[in-house]
Amino acid sequence: MVQTNPSAPTDFIREIIEEHFKNNRFQGRVATRFPPEPNGYLHIGHAKSVCLNFGIAAQYKGTCNLRMDDTDPSGETLEYVDSIIRDVKWLGFDWEDRLFYASDYYERLYEYAVQLIKMGKAYVCDLSPDEIRDYRGTLTQPGKESPYRNRSAEENLNLFERMRAGEFEEGSRVVRAKIDMSSPNVVMRDPVIFRIKKEPHYRTGSQWVVYPMYDFAHCLSDSIEGITHSICTLEFENNRPLYDWFLGELKVYHPQQIEFARLNVSYTVLSKRRLIELVEKGEVTGWDDPRMPTVSGLRRRGYTPEAIRDFCARIGVAKNDSIVDVALLENCVREDLNERAPRVMGVLRPLRVVIDNYPEGQVEELDCPYHPQNAGMGFRKVPFSRILYIERDDFMENPPKKFYRLAPGREIRLRYGYFIKCVNAVKDPKTSEIIEVHCTYDPETRSGFAPDGRKVDATIHWVSAAHSLPAEVRVYDRLFRVANPMEGGSDYTKHLNPNSLEILKSCLVEPSLKNAVAGSRFQFERIGYFCVDPVDSSDKALVFNRTVTLRDSKAKITTKGS
Ligand code: ATP
Ligand code: MG
């Protein structure tokens, strides 16, 4: 029996697996699979399933296969396959040599259908798709048997062969399992198992014109691969009897299907169909738009695989659907980046500061640690000079009582630098906008403390005007304005947040960021976590994405002592 780690997470799925260890259902073996259909990019819901399947395999020293569930030529592409492979790898999981394709099983699946026909358990049905629907009945009314249900096995075999040969049009005939048209479970009312589709498939080209349906292909793919626990989302609960029926009738190796609640996250949508729409309608710039809940979007936004895995571990698995607060996801990346992101200084909305008594032309290189709690991350030099930029909202001409930052007559500390005291502010004569602030500095305070012991209320970040680098910063907000965009009808796009992206073009960052690597992540002190945009950033024009703010925006932000 497999030894389990007592500190490992436990849930109803792991309980079922451990029950199987006790009754020796699979001889102590655990083999799971992650079976995406390559008709879209993976999203955070898929990540939950990836973490669950690969996590269970690792915990019980089993295996997890990556299987492209590619049984529908429409919408499946190699681009999607490649993106899925990249994303699962990036999430940190390894399927070794077990990358499989349901499309590799077409011949075997065809043979299984032939076998059912020979057993009198399947038949070719000539009803139209509409008629099939009408004959199916409803939840309260039993279905009606198809007039083609009692064809002989010979006739069925002949027709199925000719279906495969391309003799018939799409929709003119299907193969159906012969189960029970009056079953209380609608799924069991002679479900379709093969249909005609004359579209080329991204892998098999025009080799096939009959394609197996999901319910038929999935259980048999699991069986072919020797999967023990076939974990899927709750909407397949009603399909489990069908999963078991196919495997039972065909007398083949029989995995256990287990359903869990799919992940929903607030302020976003997680259905591939909706995500495709957002991409196609241009509501976002692509699958990897940093506002998208896709793995590629989160990666571009600056999320780490560790943060996503942590999120998936924290939400756990349950049997009832719920919506997880997106703030929990944000908090996972915030906590992870707090540990690992080097601190740097960047000013998003610059205000010019002139230090009147600082010698013109003088430059000091200040030693600044990359992490306040982790000296191992080292130091960098940050140039300090007479003209600096600070954040526009770190200055107020007529501050209210609770404003602790720079204001006329007030002294503050520059991060890693001197105390400066504001003398006056210069305004644009036309607009009255403050364009420059004049200060004096105290040369005795370079240590960050005044020898006479006087204190300041705030420490603010800054960059040196002559040394800073221009940068574009993309500030993201939630994609939707409401927690559940799907509530109250399907026109979810009306809930899109028009302010989900703010582009700040005149930001300034410290010179150490000159050669920042694409995708690398930083904390801009006092502002948030940012990552070098892997697509649009270059040596000539730095572009940063805001991954997440320093604190939950709902939590109250105070500036005193910050
Ligand atoms: P969608 O509903 O977004 O189109 P899907 O279920 O059709 O998704 P698949 O490619 O078939 O997408 O999904 C692959 C695996 O990921 C399946 O096992 C499915 O159960 C799981 N999965 C998909 N969406 C979620 C989700 N929101 N939460 C948890 N698991 C999910
Ligand atoms: Mg699916």
Side-chain angles (χ1 to χ4, degrees):
M1 203 177 110
V2 175
Q3 286 297 307
T4 60
N5 174 0
S7 67
T10 194
D11 51 55
F12 77 95
I13 297 181
R14 287 165 166 94
E15 278 165 17
I16 292 173
I17 292 174
E18 288 177 21
E19 190 56 38
H20 289 157
F21 289 145
K22 287 196 197 115
N23 64 26
N24 210 27
R25 163 108 181 249
F26 297 107
Q27 289 75 48
R29 216 164 49 84
V30 172
T32 57
R33 86 287 173 264
F34 172 63
E37 183 180 0
N39 60 354
Y41 279 60
L42 298 185
H43 53 60
I44 185 75
H46 292 115
K48 172 177 176 176
S49 175
V50 169
C51 290
L52 185 61
N53 280 293
F54 281 92
I56 282 177
Q59 180 183 341
Y60 296 109
K61 304 205 172 12
T63 53
C64 181
N65 299 352
L66 176 58
R67 180 198 312 146
M68 300 301 156
D69 207 348
D70 54 356
T71 53
D72 185 349
S74 6
E76 296 175 356
T77 67
L78 203 54
E79 179 198 341
Y80 292 138
V81 169
D82 291 342
S83 76
I84 290 167
I85 289 176
R86 184 166 62 238
D87 289 349
V88 177
K89 238 185 226 165
W90 180 79
L91 283 170
F93 299 103
D94 184 6
W95 52 90
E96 297 171 327
D97 57 351
R98 296 178 314 277
L99 168 60
F100 299 118
Y101 293 83
S103 53
D104 283 341
Y105 307 144
Y106 285 166
E107 189 66 49
R108 291 172 79 173
L109 296 171
Y110 179 87
E111 287 304 322
Y112 280 129
V114 165
Q115 205 175 317
L116 284 180
I117 289 174
K118 287 183 179 159
M119 292 161 63
K121 297 285 183 180
Y123 61 98
V124 173
C125 179
D126 303 355
L127 292 179
S128 70
D130 284 344
E131 287 168 326
I132 290 182
R133 202 169 314 121
D134 291 345
Y135 275 62
R136 187 172 293 133
T138 64
L139 284 176
T140 48
Q141 277 182 327
K144 235 173 29 182
E145 294 192 350
S146 161
Y148 305 97
R149 201 173 197 257
N150 295 313
R151 277 177 163 151
S152 70
E154 290 71 34
E155 189 185 356
N156 281 319
L157 287 175
N158 172 273
L159 287 170
F160 191 27
E161 224 166 84
R162 290 165 59 198
M163 279 170 69
R164 177 180 179 165
E167 277 186 40
F168 309 120
E169 289 316 303
E170 268 185 42
S172 64
R173 287 192 162 86
V174 291
V175 180
R176 299 175 69 175
K178 194 171 183 175
I179 308 180
D180 179 4
M181 287 308 291
S182 54
S183 169
N185 183 350
V186 180
V187 169
M188 301 299 276
R189 295 182 190 168
D190 290 12
V192 174
I193 63 175
F194 260 94
R195 61 185 156 161
I196 300 170
K197 272 214 163 186
K198 295 199 169 170
E199 257 176 82
H201 184 268
Y202 79 101
R203 278 188 96 232
T204 55
S206 51
Q207 190 187 340
W208 290 88
V209 291
V210 289
Y211 289 92
M213 299 298 288
Y214 172 88
D215 283 317
F216 188 64
H218 201 86
C219 57
L220 287 163
S221 302
D222 284 345
S223 175
I224 289 168
E225 292 176 19
I227 299 302
T228 56
H229 300 89
S230 177
I231 301 167
C232 63
T233 43
L234 221 50
E235 67 271 22
F236 291 103
E237 199 167 23
N238 287 338
N239 302 52
R240 182 163 17 112
L242 183 55
Y243 185 104
D244 293 335
W245 189 88
F246 287 128
L247 300 178
E249 292 296 330
L250 289 165
K251 298 192 174 51
V252 291
Y253 166 77
H254 199 143
Q256 175 68 52
Q257 176 179 306
I258 305 170
E259 310 85 19
F260 71 101
R262 61 194 297 121
L263 171 65
N264 299 297
V265 177
S266 63
Y267 297 96
T268 195
V269 290
L270 282 189
S271 131
K272 264 192 269 188
R273 200 151 62 88
R274 308 276 179 249
L275 297 175
I276 289 173
E277 275 167 15
L278 292 174
V279 171
E280 285 182 350
K281 287 187 184 160
E283 305 287 5
V284 293
T285 59
W287 285 98
D288 68 347
D289 186 305
R291 291 167 292 180
M292 289 281 272
T294 50
V295 173
S296 50
L298 292 166
R299 173 170 59 230
R300 185 166 172 194
R301 173 100 170 231
Y303 273 70
T304 59
E306 289 81 358
I308 294 176
R309 295 202 301 262
D310 181 35
F311 171 74
C312 293
R314 287 198 210 182
I315 57 177
V317 283
K319 266 261 58 115
N320 47 332
D321 280 312
S322 65
I323 300 183
V324 173
D325 190 344
V326 69
L328 181 62
L329 178 61
E330 292 165 351
N331 211 44
C332 289
V333 73
R334 190 178 284 126
E335 280 184 19
D336 187 36
L337 292 178
N338 180 41
E339 298 288 314
R340 65 162 82 203
R343 275 54 173 169
V344 294
M345 291 193 283
V347 173
L348 301 195
R349 295 173 181 84
L351 174 64
R352 196 174 139 98
V353 172
V354 180
I355 304 175
D356 293 332
N357 62 338
Y358 194 84
E360 252 179 269
Q362 179 170 315
V363 179
E364 285 176 80
E365 297 281 341
L366 306 178
D367 276 322
C368 304
Y370 272 123
H371 197 291
Q373 281 94 41
N374 182 356
M377 286 175 75
F379 287 78
R380 84 280 186 196
K381 302 269 187 207
V382 178
F384 182 87
S385 66
R386 186 167 184 266
I387 301 176
L388 311 174
Y389 281 99
I390 64 167
E391 210 67 64
R392 195 158 270 283
D393 63 8
D394 278 338
F395 175 81
M396 276 186 98
E397 192 184 18
N398 299 302
K401 249 202 154 96
K402 292 231 155 161
F403 185 85
Y404 297 104
R405 292 161 282 169
L406 200 61
R410 187 166 303 164
E411 190 173 46
I412 54 94
R413 177 193 291 114
L414 292 174
R415 183 74 162 146
Y416 304 120
Y418 298 98
F419 284 14
I420 58 168
K421 188 170 184 175
C422 177
V423 184
N424 67 305
V426 180
K427 287 183 189 170
D428 181 317
K430 285 203 198 99
T431 63
S432 297
E433 191 197 7
I434 292 168
I435 49 173
E436 188 172 280
V437 174
H438 285 261
C439 295
T440 55
Y441 86 116
D442 177 352
E444 302 298 316
T445 55
R446 175 155 172 185
S447 65
F449 296 95
D452 63 8
R454 73 184 190 280
K455 297 261 190 295
V456 288
D457 279 336
T459 302
I460 67 173
H461 62 278
W462 52 276
V463 293
S464 165
H467 306 89
S468 60
L469 307 171
E472 174 179 317
V473 173
R474 298 172 184 174
V475 176
Y476 300 101
D477 195 359
R478 290 164 184 179
L479 192 50
F480 291 91
R481 282 180 296 193
V482 297
N484 183 2
M486 295 311 293
E487 203 171 52
S490 60
D491 188 15
Y492 63 99
T493 54
K494 68 171 187 275
H495 300 305
L496 278 162
N497 174 6
N499 304 314
S500 60
L501 168 61
E502 186 184 5
I503 302 181
L504 302 173
K505 293 221 178 241
S506 44
C507 311
L508 295 167
V509 299
E510 62 169 72
S512 73
L513 288 166
K514 185 162 182 41
N515 298 311
V517 177
S520 52
R521 309 172 183 95
F522 300 91
Q523 184 193 97
F524 287 4
E525 293 216 25
R526 300 179 61 239
I527 307 181
Y529 295 97
F530 294 80
C531 121
V532 179
D533 187 81
V535 180
D536 295 331
S537 194
S538 72
D539 294 354
K540 288 178 201 69
L542 283 168
V543 179
F544 290 91
N545 295 320
R546 187 177 75 188
T547 311
V548 70
T549 52
L550 285 186
R551 297 172 187 83
D552 191 332
S553 54
K554 277 177 252 158
K556 213 171 157 80
I557 297 170
T558 59
T559 45
K560 184 159 177 168
S562 68

